[in-house]
Amino acid sequence: MKAFAIIPVLLATVSAGSVDFVTDGVLRVRLEGTAGEQTAFAKAEFLRVMDAVTGSGTNACAGAAPLSLAIDPSLGAGDVFRIVSKDGRMAITGSNDSALSAGVFEVLERLGCRWFWPGEDGEYLPAPAKTLTLD
């Protein structure tokens, strides 16, 4: 018999408009903020997915709107994250490094990415596109 752990994660989303992640093959968001090892992995995965789907996986786009990542322990105990988008910008805030990482992966899932099991054959990414927007 296998044992499973259920990890509660609280998600709050506030949205006022869409966020253009990629337009005409150019990455329109720039990941800002520092955090721990899990968030660093999530940032790398975000850029890898952007490159795989749109061919624009660089974080060096100077004119891009910031997608800010921050840890805010006042969000509460446990793994809690908040995603806020307004005026074409997005901020992901987590109560800790693990929660912030979960927030980045939540955004990727909303863009159509899925991970069914470890490895490339367990990954599903959206069809290649030159424009990627999250409403």
Side-chain angles (χ1 to χ4, degrees), residues 29-107:
V29 295
R30 182 181 66 253
L31 285 94
E32 293 183 345
T34 58
E37 185 177 324
Q38 289 179 337
T39 302
F41 174 75
K43 287 168 77 171
E45 278 295 288
F46 179 88
L47 294 174
R48 183 188 68 80
V49 167
M50 290 297 109
D51 192 46
V53 173
T54 66
S56 61
T58 179
N59 199 32
C61 188
L67 189 158
S68 65
L69 306 173
I71 293 178
D72 182 3
S74 70
L75 287 176
D79 292 338
V80 180
F81 65 91
R82 178 178 56 217
I83 301 169
V84 178
S85 64
K86 185 175 180 182
D87 299 329
R89 296 172 182 252
M90 180 175 282
I92 305 171
T93 309
S95 59
N96 55 44
D97 187 44
S98 177
L100 183 55
S101 173
V104 173
F105 281 104
E106 174 68 23
V107 169

Side-chain angles (χ1 to χ4, degrees), residues 7-11 78-81 99 102-103:
I7 302 171
V9 174
L10 177 65
L11 164 68
D79 292 338
V80 180
F81 65 91

